[in-house]
Amino acid sequence: MAPTMNPQSSVNSTHSEGSLTDSIQSSHPLARISSVFSGKLLVAGDIGGTNSRLILFESFGSSIQEDNVVHINTYWNDDFPSFYAVLSKFLGEIWEGQHDPILAACFAVAGPVKNDYINFTNREGWIIDAKDIENNMNFGKVFLVNDFAANGYGIKTLAREDLVVLQDKPALPGAPIALVGAGTGLGECYVTPQNPGVDDNNYHVFSSEGGHVDFAPRNDLEVRLLKWFRKKLSDMPLQSATSIDASQLTSLRQCYTNPEPRVSVERIVSGRGLVNVYEFLCDEFPDRINQGLHEQIMNSKDKARVISVCINDYPLASDALDIMLSAYGSEVGNAALKYLPSGGLYIAGGIAPKNIGRITSSDSLFMKALFDKGRLKGLIENLPIYVVMKEDVGLRGAHALAFREAYRYFKEQNERMAEARRIYEAEREQLQAASAWKSKVRESFSGIFKKVNTGLMQSFDEYSVFWALGLSVTTSGLFSMYIAHQIGRLKN
C-alpha cells in the first residue's frame, strides 16, 4: 500500500547536512513500493552524543549508488527522551499513521555495541535495541554498528573526488585497508575483503580501540606534555608523579609497583586533545597568552573550534594545532606499520579535512611525523594514502550495511523467480512432449483406420458378388437361429 504522504514529507533537514544534501531529490514517488519486485525501504542513521541523522532510501538492490533518497533529517538529541521518539518523529514526517514496512535499517552509534544493543551511559533513557525495533516498529532486519566501524564500511562508497591524495601509490587488490580518524575522539579500524581475489567488494570491517594506545612522546616538548598530563590526571605533585628515587630502587619490579597515570594518544589527538595541548602551552608559556582570545576560548562550549578559528591571529593556538597534528601524523604512521594497508591508508574524521592546508603544505609536521619511522620508513612510502574530505562516511557505512540486506533480499527473490521459471519451463516441456505423443498416436491410428477403410472399399468394389453372397448367408443363418429360438419358447 502506498503511503499517505504527510505534507512535510518532502526531503528536508532541520539542520544542514553538508555534502549529503547535494544528492537529495526534492520529491520521490512511492506508488511502486507495494509490489514484491518494486523498491524496498531502508533506513540509515548516524546516532551521536549530540544529534541523530537519519535517511530513508528506496532500494532495488542493484547498486548502492542507485538507491533513491526519500527523506532525510537531523535531530538534536536533547529534544527527545529516547531514540525511539526520534525514530517515530522521523517516520511520522513521511507517513500519516502506520508506516510502510522497512526492509532493513542500520544505525551507527557512538559507543560499544553488544548483540545489537547499546545503552548510552551519558544520555539517560537512550537505549537502542535492534530486536525491539524489529518486533514493535514494523522493521525487518535492524543492525547496530560502532560509529567508526561504520566509517570503514563507508570507505568503499567514496569516489576519487571525495579524497585528497597524500601519496599516490597503486592499491593492491585484496590487501587490507586501514582507517584512522580524529574528531571528537580518535578512532581506528581496518578492512579486509571476505573473499580476496574473487570478490574484493564484499568486505568486513574490524573495529579496534587503537586510539587508546599509550601516547609516546618523540621530543623534549612532548615529554613535558606527557608529564603535564600525568600531573593533571593525578593529585600527586609533579615531582613525585614523574621521578624515581634510584637509592630506594632495590629491583626492577619496584618501578611498576605504583604506576604513574596513563595517557592515551586520544588525549592528544582529537578535538579534546587540541584543548589539552593548548592548556599545556598556556602553563608552559604564560607570557605568550593573549588574554582576550584566551578568555574567548576558555568561556566557549566548543573550545577546540575557537582555537582553530583564531590560529592565524594567535601564535599559541597555532602552536597547539601544530603539536596535535604532528602527534596525529605519528599515530597514522603507527597504524600503517601495524596493519600494512597496501589496499589504502585513509585518514578520516573532522580534523583532517578542516586542516588540509597544513597537512599538505611543503613543511607539514603531520607528513614529517607520518614518515618518521626509522628503518621502516620505506614500507610507508609504498602505501596509497588519502584524506577523506567527506564527513558523512559513517552514515554512508550504515547505508552500505542496510543495502547488503536489500541486495540479499532481491537476490533471494531473483533466485526464487529463477527456480519458479525453471519448474514452469520443465512442466511446459513435459506438456509439450505429452501433446506431441498424443498427436503422434492419433496420427498413427488415423493412418490405420484409413488403410482399413480404403481396403474395405476396394474389397466392396472388386468382390461385390462375394460380399453379397456372404451377407446373404450370414443373414439367413441369423434368421434361422432366431426361428429356432422362438419355436423352443413355444414348446416350453
Side-chain angles (χ1 to χ4, degrees), residues 177-236:
I177 294 170
L179 182 66
V180 181
T184 304
L186 177 63
E188 297 185 12
C189 67
Y190 66 99
V191 183
T192 61
Q194 292 185 351
N195 198 0
V198 178
D199 183 7
D200 291 339
N201 291 318
N202 191 12
Y203 52 93
H204 186 71
V205 175
F206 297 88
S207 57
S208 79
E209 293 296 341
H212 293 282
V213 299
D214 298 330
F215 170 62
R218 296 163 295 124
N219 52 50
D220 290 342
L221 183 62
E222 289 188 353
V223 169
R224 289 155 64 186
L225 172 60
L226 177 62
K227 291 180 178 180
W228 175 88
F229 223 119
R230 283 175 171 169
K231 179 183 177 182
K232 180 178 180 178
L233 294 174
S234 71
D235 295 326
M236 294 183 294

Side-chain angles (χ1 to χ4, degrees), residues 10-11 13 61 71 94 96 147 153 185 187 190 195 199 220 234 249 257 272 283 294 297 306 365 410 437 451 480 487:
S10 60
V11 175
S13 176
H71 186 61
I94 310 168
E96 294 179 354
D147 55 355
Y153 286 107
Y190 66 99
N195 198 0
D199 183 7
D220 290 342
S234 71
L249 185 61
T257 303
R272 293 189 298 265
D283 286 349
H294 179 72
I297 293 170
V306 179
L365 295 178
F410 282 103
W437 180 80
K451 288 179 180 180
S480 298
I487 293 172

Side-chain angles (χ1 to χ4, degrees), residues 4 133 158 170 226 279 301 305 315 335 346 358 365 392 454:
T4 302
I133 296 174
L158 297 172
L226 177 62
E279 292 177 350
K301 292 183 179 179
R305 185 188 65 80
Y346 292 82
R358 290 202 175 202
L365 295 178
D392 62 348
T454 302

Side-chain angles (χ1 to χ4, degrees), residues 470-482:
L471 183 60
S472 176
V473 172
T474 301
T475 303
S476 300
L478 291 173
F479 184 72
S480 298
M481 291 173 64
Y482 174 76

Side-chain angles (χ1 to χ4, degrees), residues 160-177:
R160 189 73 171 185
E161 56 268 23
D162 298 328
L163 307 170
V164 169
V165 179
L166 297 185
Q167 183 164 264
D168 194 7
K169 298 292 182 180
L172 182 64
I177 294 170

Side-chain angles (χ1 to χ4, degrees), residues 12-15 17 50-54 71-80 85-93 126:
N12 64 85
S13 176
T14 303
H15 307 290
E17 287 296 324
T50 304
N51 56 60
S52 298
R53 291 184 292 172
L54 298 173
H71 186 61
I72 182 172
N73 215 336
T74 297
Y75 307 90
W76 296 112
N77 294 343
D78 287 343
D79 295 339
F80 298 88
V86 174
L87 188 56
S88 296
K89 167 71 172 171
F90 176 73
L91 297 172
E93 292 169 355
W126 274 63

